[in-house]
């Protein structure tokens, strides 16, 4: 174990590391500037439990109805040797008729351990990459591995298709509907970035086997229900941009020691559970530990990070808490108090604030003039 | 967004209460609106779960789908909602375009028409129109999908549905589409309407939560906006205003109750009890949003109406009349997708509406005009000198009245001599900029557009202080026929005035080919949309 | 009517096996009761045969079957032509129609489409385990078992597939092409049963339609659905994969017969060992 890993283990404390998954890795891309998140994720800290212990659990949850629907749709598309999926790939992407070979990698002879499944995935994909003959076409639930922050992360795409225009394609099956050719933009974006994580992991795996990245298409196949029915439809989505973003983020995670160097040695997020697993850590001490790692809160965090409610509280009184646009309109001045003082003209602006201060004062004067009061 | 709104947010945070960003109301608020609060089953494209609907705040109609995946029950829900909405729409002359009684309603419409603007051959503008409120934009999105999944259904044939279902679908589609039209008020989202008038001390993303937004605008007496908004985020106290339900509610409450309904159905007994329990739980989720939406309407109603609101509402009434007539005349349902020409036309019309709305709001509301003043597109200040009786010889040799006024302003002035401005509220008057002279500025010449050069000095603002500008304007028009101005048509010394480059002018639509001349590059002439059998029996699962 | 006769045959086979178990257990009362039921069933069978235009050969396996305790999945449910069909019998019927290993979902769909009865999916979840237990306690006591399909490479039970023990080993192993081949085989089975049925139930036509849309050239629209065309299209695609698949399966079947004991051949060899190894860790 190297020094960085030891340090990360200490940050995490007694808890077992939380594994990354495609969702957490894609979330990295949503607030790249935040050191707190980078450090906590690199250390495998269970952010939700930490946030809950300091009294700010994130209100994240998934409805069982949504989960059931998602699973049912995936099962339906894959039923009968992926009969529906084959039809889509044939009709939309010209998959040749003989290409029907199917391998289920959910388990290996009943063994569902990550190690065994990954080894088998690797063996089958190696065979596929090496030879066109007998190479296999559909790989159901392959288990990939990606190094993120010095740690191996296991990732499970819905499916990988080979022999589709001679390249590997990641296939994601999502149960949100495409209605008259339109789908929820946010959900599509999430699916795209998640698929990009898989593309990255697949390229990593093939690179280890000596196969170049061009073997994996940077277009992924997204399968969704069409209109209000259960009928699947497929679309090819370009993930090149997301790949660039992710690569940069992962490189940053790999340089985690730079971030660690700025944090006091004593900091730990250990919850100090007692024998029964109940956290006993002093709450104030934990708050201080979290506070020791700089954050960069934006309201987008509310959707993507388990620490959001804590960080929002911490960021109260900053213009960032009011949203990026508001902060920009206020000339990037951080503190609401400063903004209001500048508005009143009660403090002289610093040189770099001069222009923003003038605009703020003009705005304040107009508001006062019209509303009959002074801000 | 602008510095003004951003500053208002900062002030709201400090004050613990939302701050106005409008001095007048920019939306029409109907005397008798209809509120629709839908809930959808998670994970499905458009599976209605429950709704509260109606035009009486004290008497909402609760609609419940006991098994949201059951097609028959979905259509039963649509039919029930349809009857409720059509009863409401039918109450407006020209709106009774249902399956029957349309003629009578239309007659009433024409008879009730006073001095209608409709000319020869043109349809009369209905005297009033329905207005439907949803808690938020996501609710309108759900409405659009519900309209899409019902408007192609047929009342006869293999997959026959209640005849009210396709009519509902066409109204919902019309309303949801119209809600994308800038300035239209036939269908409104409460969160958006409120955010147009108040800035809170939180982010726009958090403003999407109606309970928390109202917490900032109108906090309970015992607390402030910050606290009220936080409290509103607790899904147990304030269930989300739909259409998405709280996942915790789904997992802990809803799943059990739906299962109980299923079992009861199969077993025979207990069915009524199970359904009642489900209805009660769903009513508990809906009721807060129902009340909040009505509160939003009340808060907005209390504001004085802006000058151009009635004009925009007239356009809404006209659109309503057209759609009602289209239904009555047996026109086809809205197509799945617009043709190329229709889409371009629609985009053009929305762009023109957006531009006109922006100008109208500024003309109606000094707080909105302030945004334009900050951007240098308008200026306001006090008149320091006036020459109301100035008469000159015009280019044609005629003597004309051309008063001069001198305005001293703090605003960052970026207009140049020769620019023609107009005073809000005097549509016929023009003001040509004669000269622009910064007062006490330090050699910076004319004040820059950003206002930075003038304002970086001392903060005190006396007469002739740094940052002020004197603008001389020559007025023309709107002063009567004679060579002395009509009383009140020229401002006097000491008056507060505003002049802007904005003008609310009618913009003719861009030229589009007639549908039948659509170029082949855009798919050629569209075949008129014929709903197919397939549309009618499309799965809704 | 032919179906009814088949069902009665199976019922009689069951009864015979149970009689032998009762005899071994020394339960005379139960044995004589079972005999009485067997005679009654036998009479029904005779009548059914008599009513058939073309007489059916009464044959069938089961000579080695012995009496024993009642079948575990044997709770009768759903009466059809006087015959009480157990869950395992209903599954057997559906699988026989399909002619290839299938997932529970498809088995249920087929049974409900063609046999106008109910087959609760929940009852299928433990079926394979029950059958294995029954086989291990009294091997080959039943004329057939509902068993696993084995993955060709590891000879482990393939996830979520059920097969019939009386099928040849080649049919019960699953190579990389087999999921598609079995899908096409099932489509042919469904199409042919539709052709043989004068007035096919609407549910059966819908089932065939669901197959047809996924097979190139099988159908142009739900209205023009032609079972003959579906079968022909499925055969055409089948021809593309058949040789390679058969070679795979034959090789795997040879290995299975070589390496696995009789229980292993039905319920999987390596897989179970691995699974136990995994569980012990
Ligand atoms: S919520 Fe906090 S820790 Fe998470 S990304 Fe935002 S600022 Fe960083």
């Amino acid at each position: 174990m190297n020094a960085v890993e030891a340090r990360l283990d200490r940050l995490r404390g007694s808890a077992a590391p939380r594994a990354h998954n495609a969702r957490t890795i894609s979330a990295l891309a949503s607030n790249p500037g935040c050191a707190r998140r980078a450090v906590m994720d690199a250390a495998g800290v269970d952010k939700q439990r930490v946030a809950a212990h300091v009294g700010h659990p994130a209100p994240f949850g998934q409805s069982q109805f949504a989960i059931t629907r998602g699973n049912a749709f995936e099962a339906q598309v894959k039923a009968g040797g992926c009969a529906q999926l084959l039809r889509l790939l044939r009709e939309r992407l010209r998959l040749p008729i003989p290409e029907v070979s199917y391998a289920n990698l959910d388990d290996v002879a009943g063994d569902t351990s990550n190690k065994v499944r990954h080894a088998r995935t690797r063996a089958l994909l190696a065979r596929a990459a090496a030879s066109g003959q007998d190479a296999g076409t559909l790989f159901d639930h392959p288990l990939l591995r990606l190094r993120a922050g010095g740690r191996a992360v296991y990732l499970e795409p819905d499916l990988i298709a080979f022999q589709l225009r001679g390249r590997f394609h990641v296939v994601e099956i999502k149960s949100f509907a495409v209605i008259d050719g339109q789908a929820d933009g946010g959900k599509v974006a999430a699916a795209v970035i998640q698929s990009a994580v898989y593309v990255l992991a697949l390229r990593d795996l093939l690179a280890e086997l000596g196969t170049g990245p061009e073997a994996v298409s940077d277009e992924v196949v997204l399968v969704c229900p069409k209109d209000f029915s259960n009928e699947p439809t497929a679309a090819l989505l370009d993930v090149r941009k997301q790949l660039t973003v992710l690569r940069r983020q992962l490189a940053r995670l790999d340089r985690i020691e730079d971030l660690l160097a700025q944090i006091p040695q004593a900091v730990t997020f250990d919850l100090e559970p007692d024998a029964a697993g109940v956290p006993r850590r002093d709450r104030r001490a934990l708050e201080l530990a979290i506070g020791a790692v700089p954050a960069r809160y934006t309201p987008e965090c509310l959707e993507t990070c388990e620490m959001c409610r804590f960080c929002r509280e911490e960021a109260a009184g900053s213009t960032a808490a009011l949203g990026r646009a508001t902060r920009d309109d206020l000339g990037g001045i951080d503190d609401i108090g400063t903004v209001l003082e500048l508005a009143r003209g009660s403090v002289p602006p610093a040189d770099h604030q001069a222009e923003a201060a003038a605009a703020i004062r003009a705005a304040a004067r107009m508001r006062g003039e019209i509303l009959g009061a002074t801000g | 967004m602008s510095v003004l709104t951003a500053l208002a947010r900062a002030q709201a945070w400090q004050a613990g209460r939302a701050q106005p960003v409008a001095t007048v109301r920019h939306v029409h608020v109907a005397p008798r609106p209809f509120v629709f609060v839908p809930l959808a089953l998670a994970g499905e494209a458009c599976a209605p779960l429950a709704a509260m609907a109606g035009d009486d705040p004290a008497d909402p109609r609760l609609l419940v789908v006991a098994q949201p995946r059951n097609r028959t029950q979905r259509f039963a829900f649509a039919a029930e909602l349809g009857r409720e909405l059509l009863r409401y729409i039918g109450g407006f002359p020209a709106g009774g375009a249902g399956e029957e009684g349309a003629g009578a309603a239309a007659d009433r419409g024409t008879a009730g028409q006073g001095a209608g603007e409709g000319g020869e051959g043109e349809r009369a503008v209905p005297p009033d129109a329905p207005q439907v409120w949803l808690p938020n934009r996501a609710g309108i999105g759900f409405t659009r999908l519900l309209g899409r999944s019902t408007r192609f259904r047929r009342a006869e044939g293999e997959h026959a549905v209640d005849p009210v279902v396709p009519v509902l679908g066409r109204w919902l589609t019309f309303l949801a589409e119209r809600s994308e039209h800038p300035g239209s008020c036939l269908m409104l989202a409460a969160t958006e309407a409120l955010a147009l008038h108040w800035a809170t001390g939180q982010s726009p993303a958090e403003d999407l939560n109606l309970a928390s937004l109202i917490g900032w605008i109108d906090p309970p007496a015992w607390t402030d906006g910050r606290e009220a908004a936080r409290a509103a985020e607790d899904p147990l106290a304030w269930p989300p205003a739909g259409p998405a339900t709280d996942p915790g509610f789904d997992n802990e409450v809803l799943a059990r109750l739906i299962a109980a309904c299923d079992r009861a159905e199969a077993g025979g007994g207990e069915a009524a009890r199970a359904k009642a329990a489900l209805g009660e739980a769903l009513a508990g989720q809906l009721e807060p949003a129902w009340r909040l939406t009505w509160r939003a309407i009340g808060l907005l109603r209390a504001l004085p109406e802006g000058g151009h609101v009635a004009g925009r509402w007239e356009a809404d009434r006209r659109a309503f009349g057209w759609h009602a007539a289209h239904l009555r005349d047996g026109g086809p349902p809205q197509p799945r997708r617009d043709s190329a020409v229709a889409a371009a036309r629609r985009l053009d019309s929305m762009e023109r509406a957006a531009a006109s709305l922006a100008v109208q709001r500024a003309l109606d509301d000094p707080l909105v005009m302030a945004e334009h003043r900050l951007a240098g597109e308008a200026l306001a200040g006090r008149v320091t000198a006036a020459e109301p009786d100035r008469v000159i010889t015009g280019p044609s040799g005629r003597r004309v009245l051309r008063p001069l006024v001198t305005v001293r302003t703090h605003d960052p002035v970026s207009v140049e001599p020769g620019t023609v401005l107009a005073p809000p509220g005097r549509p016929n008057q023009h003001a040509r900029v004669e000269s622009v002279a910064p007062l006490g500025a330090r050699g910076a010449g004319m004040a820059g557009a950003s206002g930075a050069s003038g304002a970086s000095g001392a903060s005190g603002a006396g007469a002739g202080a740094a940052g002020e500008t004197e603008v001389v304007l020559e007025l023309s028009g709107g002063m009567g026929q004679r060579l002395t101005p009509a009383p009140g048509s020229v401002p006097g010394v000491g008056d507060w005035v505003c002049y802007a480059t904005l003008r609310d002018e009618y913009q003719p639509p861009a030229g589009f080919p007639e549908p039948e001349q659509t170029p082949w590059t855009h798919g050629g002439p569209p075949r008129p949309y014929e709903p197919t059998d397939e549309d009618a029996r499309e799965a809704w699962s | 009517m032919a179906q009814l006769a088949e069902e009665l045959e199976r019922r009689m086979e069951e009864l015979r096996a149970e009689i032998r178990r009762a005899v071994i257990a020394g339960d005379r009362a139960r044995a004589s009761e079972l005999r009485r039921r067997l005679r009654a069933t036998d009479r029904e069978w005779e009548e059914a045969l008599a009513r058939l235009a073309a007489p059916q050969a009464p044959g069938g396996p089961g000579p080695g079957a012995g009496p024993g305790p009642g079948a575990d999945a044997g709770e009768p449910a759903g009466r059809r032509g006087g015959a009480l069909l157990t869950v395992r019998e209903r599954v057997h019927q559906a699988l026989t129609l399909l002619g290839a290993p299938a997932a529970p979902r498809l088995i249920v769909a087929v049974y409900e489409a063609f046999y106008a009865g109910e087959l609760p999916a929940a009852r299928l979840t433990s079926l394979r385990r029950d059958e294995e237990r029954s086989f291990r306690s009294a091997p080959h006591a039943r004329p057939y078992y509902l068993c696993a399909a084995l993955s060709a490479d590891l000879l482990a039970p393939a996830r979520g597939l059920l097969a019939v023990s009386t099928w040849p080993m080649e049919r019960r192993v699953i190579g990389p092409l087999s999921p598609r081949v079995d899908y096409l085989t099932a489509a042919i089975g469904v199409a042919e049963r539709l052709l043989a049925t004068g007035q096919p139930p609407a549910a059966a036509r819908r089932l065939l339609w669901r197959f047809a849309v996924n097979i190139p050239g099988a159908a142009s629209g739900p209205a023009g659905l032609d079972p003959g065309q579906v079968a022909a299209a499925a055969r055409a695609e089948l021809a593309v994969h058949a040789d390679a698949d058969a070679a795979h399966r034959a090789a795997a079947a040879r290995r299975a017969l070589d390496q696995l004991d009789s229980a292993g051949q039905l319920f999987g060899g390596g897989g179970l060992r691995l699974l136990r190894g995994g569980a012990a860790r």
Side-chain angles (χ1 to χ4, degrees):
Chain A
M1 193 192 285
N2 64 29
V4 171
E5 280 175 39
R7 182 77 198 282
L8 291 173
D9 280 348
R10 208 160 53 241
L11 280 168
R12 190 182 62 250
S14 45
R18 254 190 91 75
H20 262 299
N21 54 40
R23 207 174 41 77
T24 63
I25 292 187
S26 19
L28 287 175
S30 62
N31 192 356
C34 178
R36 178 176 296 167
R37 173 173 196 134
V39 167
M40 291 182 102
D41 279 347
V45 172
D46 187 337
K47 297 202 294 296
Q48 180 66 21
R49 292 204 66 191
V50 169
H53 193 59
V54 291
H56 294 288
F60 296 161
Q62 226 191 336
S63 164
Q64 58 171 268
F65 297 109
I67 297 171
T68 308
R69 161 81 168 142
N71 292 343
F73 182 68
E74 183 182 341
Q76 172 208 315
V77 170
K78 287 181 173 176
C82 295
Q84 289 189 337
L85 181 64
L86 277 176
R87 174 190 8 137
L88 291 174
L89 296 179
R90 286 170 173 183
E91 285 175 2
R92 305 291 287 274
L93 306 170
R94 303 187 182 291
L95 182 73
I97 296 284
E99 295 299 335
V100 297
S101 169
Y102 169 88
N104 186 347
L105 293 160
D106 259 326
D107 62 286
V108 181
D111 191 332
T112 54
S113 72
N114 285 342
K115 247 203 190 91
V116 172
R117 287 181 58 202
H118 177 65
R120 177 113 182 109
T121 300
R122 208 179 133 97
L124 290 190
L125 293 180
R127 200 166 72 193
S131 70
Q133 280 264 312
D134 212 8
T137 304
L138 303 172
F139 303 93
D140 190 350
H141 283 165
L143 198 66
L144 306 174
R145 204 166 58 177
L146 185 70
R147 288 202 78 74
R151 227 174 265 279
V153 181
Y154 285 105
L155 299 166
E156 185 180 303
D158 287 336
L159 192 125
I160 289 174
F162 186 48
Q163 306 288 10
L164 197 57
R165 303 169 174 184
R167 307 170 83 187
F168 289 100
H169 279 73
V170 166
V171 179
E172 261 308 276
I173 302 171
K174 295 284 180 208
S175 62
F176 59 81
V178 177
I179 293 165
D180 297 340
Q182 302 237 305
D184 181 321
K187 287 177 178 158
V188 174
V192 166
I193 187 130
Q194 205 179 323
S195 310
V197 175
Y198 298 136
V199 169
L200 218 53
L202 182 55
R203 285 185 173 169
D204 258 26
L205 182 146
L206 292 174
E208 287 172 26
L209 299 166
T211 303
E214 65 286 345
V216 183
S217 170
D218 42 29
E219 285 183 316
V220 300
V221 181
L222 179 64
V223 177
C224 292
K226 184 171 178 290
D227 297 337
F228 304 98
S229 72
N230 286 321
E231 275 304 301
T233 178
L236 273 182
L237 300 174
D238 188 339
V239 300
R240 267 175 301 180
K241 208 177 83 210
Q242 289 75 5
L243 286 174
T244 316
V245 175
L246 283 170
R247 242 186 252 112
R248 198 158 0 114
Q249 270 319 101
L250 288 170
R252 200 163 162 273
L253 266 197
D254 285 339
R255 290 191 314 270
I256 198 80
E257 53 259 63
D258 299 353
L259 293 177
L260 292 176
Q262 296 158 28
I263 304 167
Q265 283 288 338
V267 168
T268 172
F269 306 117
D270 197 344
L271 295 176
E272 295 168 9
D274 62 15
V278 180
R280 293 292 177 210
R281 179 83 185 269
D282 177 62
R283 180 175 157 172
R284 184 71 201 130
L286 184 58
E287 283 174 356
L288 287 173
I290 302 170
V293 189
R296 187 183 287 180
Y297 173 80
T298 80
E300 285 78 47
C301 292
L302 295 170
E303 299 286 316
T304 53
C305 181
E306 289 86 352
M307 297 304 297
C308 59
R309 290 286 172 92
F310 177 88
C311 298
R312 181 174 72 177
E313 217 50 45
E314 189 185 56
S318 76
T319 54
L322 302 180
R324 215 182 293 266
T326 302
R327 188 175 187 278
D328 290 350
D329 283 335
L330 294 171
I333 296 168
D334 286 324
D335 179 53
I336 292 181
T338 310
V339 168
L340 296 177
E341 279 174 351
L342 290 172
R344 277 192 296 270
S346 54
V347 294
D351 278 351
H352 69 277
Q353 295 172 335
E355 196 174 327
I360 290 170
R361 225 172 31 235
R365 184 174 46 73
M366 288 182 196
R367 283 185 64 80
E369 170 190 298
I370 295 160
L371 294 167
T374 44
Chain B
M1 289 286 276
S2 69
V3 190
L4 273 159
T5 313
L7 178 65
R9 281 194 186 276
Q11 289 169 335
W13 192 84
Q14 183 87 348
R17 202 178 180 107
Q19 299 294 309
V21 289
T23 58
V24 295
R25 170 159 49 76
H26 295 283
V27 295
H28 172 82
V29 175
R32 190 168 58 89
F34 185 92
V35 170
F36 175 40
V37 185
L39 288 183
L41 187 72
E44 308 282 327
C46 177
L49 172 64
M52 264 189 188
D55 55 352
D56 179 354
D59 184 24
R61 181 79 190 266
L62 175 69
L63 311 175
V64 173
V65 185
Q67 180 38 271
R69 290 191 204 84
N70 178 307
R71 179 187 154 95
T72 314
Q73 291 193 23
R74 277 185 200 184
F75 281 114
F77 169 92
E80 228 181 314
L81 175 65
R83 273 185 281 278
E84 193 64 19
L85 184 67
L86 291 197
R87 176 192 58 72
Y88 170 71
I89 292 178
F92 294 87
E99 323 85 287
E100 30 137 74
D107 288 348
R108 250 188 294 133
T110 322
Q113 186 76 20
E117 285 122 302
E120 277 281 314
E122 214 179 294
R123 238 178 258 283
V125 181
D128 202 359
Q131 182 179 55
V132 179
W133 287 76
L134 284 104
N136 48 40
R137 178 53 59 175
I140 295 185
F142 177 82
T143 305
R144 191 174 59 80
L145 288 185
L146 190 59
R148 165 63 182 79
S149 61
T150 49
R151 69 176 184 257
F152 299 121
R153 309 291 165 178
R154 289 184 188 162
E156 67 284 333
E158 198 188 342
H159 297 274
V161 298
D162 189 311
V164 79
V165 169
V167 182
L168 169 78
R170 297 171 67 173
W171 276 115
L172 293 183
T173 304
F174 164 74
L175 291 169
E177 271 182 6
R178 188 74 198 163
S179 82
E180 283 161 27
H181 195 84
S184 169
C185 293
L186 289 174
M187 176 170 271
L188 290 168
T191 48
E192 288 179 356
L194 290 174
L196 203 58
H197 298 85
W198 282 277
T200 64
Q202 62 185 6
S203 68
E206 289 157 300
D207 285 349
L208 297 179
N209 178 339
L210 180 59
S212 137
L213 178 58
I214 290 189
W216 276 103
I217 296 173
D218 189 18
W222 62 86
T223 183
D224 71 353
R226 287 191 227 180
E227 292 296 320
R230 285 291 178 275
E233 285 181 346
D234 174 6
L236 291 172
W238 293 96
T245 49
D246 173 47
F249 171 76
D250 282 8
N251 297 341
E252 308 305 327
V253 181
L254 186 61
R256 195 166 40 79
L257 293 173
I258 288 183
C261 281
D262 285 353
R263 270 199 311 278
E265 208 85 59
E270 300 277 306
R273 275 242 306 273
K275 258 199 98 164
L278 177 67
E280 203 177 309
L282 288 167
Q285 295 292 296
L286 287 161
E287 224 251 337
W290 168 265
R291 273 188 286 121
L292 284 171
T293 308
W294 284 103
R295 245 178 94 195
I297 295 171
L299 284 166
L300 287 161
R301 194 178 268 140
L303 298 175
E305 184 173 288
H308 284 88
V309 170
R312 293 197 295 269
W313 181 243
E314 189 198 315
D316 275 337
R317 286 188 279 131
R318 196 182 293 272
F320 163 67
W322 278 336
H323 186 68
H326 178 76
L327 274 177
R328 218 167 26 232
D329 299 346
Q334 301 91 336
R336 283 167 171 246
R337 279 201 242 193
D338 278 345
S339 67
V341 169
R345 235 183 247 283
R346 184 170 149 78
L347 195 64
D348 174 66
S349 130
M350 295 205 349
E351 275 168 5
R352 284 184 293 119
S356 159
L357 174 66
V359 173
Q360 292 184 351
R361 285 181 57 222
L363 297 180
D364 286 353
D365 187 340
L367 259 187
V368 180
M369 182 58 90
E371 312 242 359
H372 297 275
R373 288 165 58 194
L374 268 179
E377 294 159 1
L379 60 92
R382 282 210 195 279
V383 176
T384 51
E387 234 182 288
D389 299 325
R390 178 165 169 266
V391 173
I392 61 168
T393 308
S396 60
R398 253 176 20 132
R399 291 179 45 78
V400 288
L401 181 64
R402 290 289 181 269
L404 286 180
V405 293
T406 305
V407 180
R408 184 180 284 190
T409 177
H410 265 101
D411 295 356
V413 177
S414 67
V415 294
E416 295 185 9
T419 311
V420 177
L421 306 176
R426 295 182 197 274
N428 298 321
Q429 200 168 73
H430 300 289
R432 211 178 70 98
V433 178
E434 293 291 302
S435 67
V436 178
L439 297 176
R442 301 178 203 156
M446 246 185 282
S450 70
S453 56
S456 56
S459 51
E468 281 194 300
T469 310
E470 213 162 61
V471 181
V472 178
L473 301 161
E474 184 195 81
L475 306 185
S476 62
M479 292 172 289
Q481 302 303 312
R482 286 180 292 163
L483 288 179
T484 48
S489 62
V490 173
V493 173
D495 283 358
W496 180 261
V497 292
C498 178
Y499 291 92
T501 54
L502 316 172
R503 211 165 307 194
D504 184 27
E505 278 168 339
Y506 174 73
Q507 304 267 324
F512 289 107
E514 287 306 307
E516 50 276 13
Q517 272 142 26
T518 309
W520 63 269
T521 45
H522 293 74
R527 266 176 283 139
Y529 189 75
E530 287 271 352
T532 62
D533 289 352
E534 214 148 309
D535 285 337
R537 66 164 166 258
E538 178 182 52
W540 187 13
S541 54
Chain C
M1 205 43 75
Q3 269 168 296
L4 172 59
E6 279 170 32
E7 281 159 18
L8 290 171
E9 280 163 29
R10 271 192 291 277
R11 184 74 197 132
M12 288 192 296
E13 282 156 17
E14 288 272 308
L15 285 169
R16 285 195 194 96
E18 282 181 40
I19 290 168
R20 283 164 73 176
R21 272 184 227 124
V23 170
I24 289 172
D27 188 345
R28 287 171 180 278
R30 176 162 169 79
S32 65
E33 157 67 2
L34 287 167
R35 283 207 177 86
R36 194 187 57 70
R37 274 164 56 186
L38 179 59
R39 276 196 301 277
T41 312
D42 195 64
R43 268 199 305 279
E44 273 182 47
W45 178 69
E46 296 276 5
E47 284 162 21
L49 276 197
R51 270 175 280 150
L52 271 177
Q56 290 269 307
D72 30 25
E75 180 198 315
R79 175 172 284 269
R80 214 191 108 78
L84 291 172
L85 287 191
T86 62
V87 167
R88 68 186 300 268
E89 285 167 333
R90 280 175 274 171
V91 171
H92 182 256
Q93 246 179 354
L95 279 171
T96 304
L97 188 155
L98 289 167
R105 200 178 253 281
L106 178 59
I107 293 171
V108 169
V110 165
Y111 186 83
E112 296 189 347
F114 282 101
Y115 299 102
E118 268 200 18
L119 183 50
R123 301 284 303 274
L124 268 66
T125 46
S126 58
L127 193 56
R128 203 164 79 181
R129 212 175 47 235
D130 293 343
E131 294 276 301
E132 181 172 1
R133 200 174 298 132
S134 155
F135 181 86
R136 287 186 188 274
S137 64
H140 300 296
R142 296 179 176 181
Y144 66 83
Y145 289 88
L146 300 172
C147 62
L150 306 185
S151 66
D153 43 7
L154 299 168
L155 300 179
R159 264 207 173 188
L161 291 181
L162 282 173
V164 182
S165 62
T166 51
W167 289 347
M169 197 68 223
E170 289 80 36
R171 211 193 293 180
R172 291 190 282 115
V173 291
I174 303 292
L177 303 179
S178 309
R180 184 64 183 175
V181 165
D182 290 351
Y183 182 78
L184 296 168
T185 307
I188 296 168
V190 169
E192 291 192 330
R193 176 57 64 97
L194 267 174
L195 282 173
T197 317
Q199 282 288 336
R205 285 185 65 85
R206 277 199 299 275
L207 178 65
L208 183 66
W209 170 247
R210 293 218 300 272
F211 276 103
V213 287
N214 296 321
I215 300 170
S220 34
L225 182 66
D226 167 13
Q229 188 190 342
V230 178
R235 285 206 176 86
E237 193 192 324
L238 198 52
V240 177
H241 318 303
D243 291 349
D245 183 54
H248 258 119
R249 285 178 137 168
R254 271 196 301 281
R255 273 190 296 122
L257 295 171
D258 275 2
Q259 295 171 10
L260 303 179
D261 59 15
S262 58
Q265 287 171 21
L266 294 184
F267 299 102
L272 285 172
R273 275 198 300 280
L274 250 174
L275 185 61
R276 284 182 192 130
R281 241 183 289 144

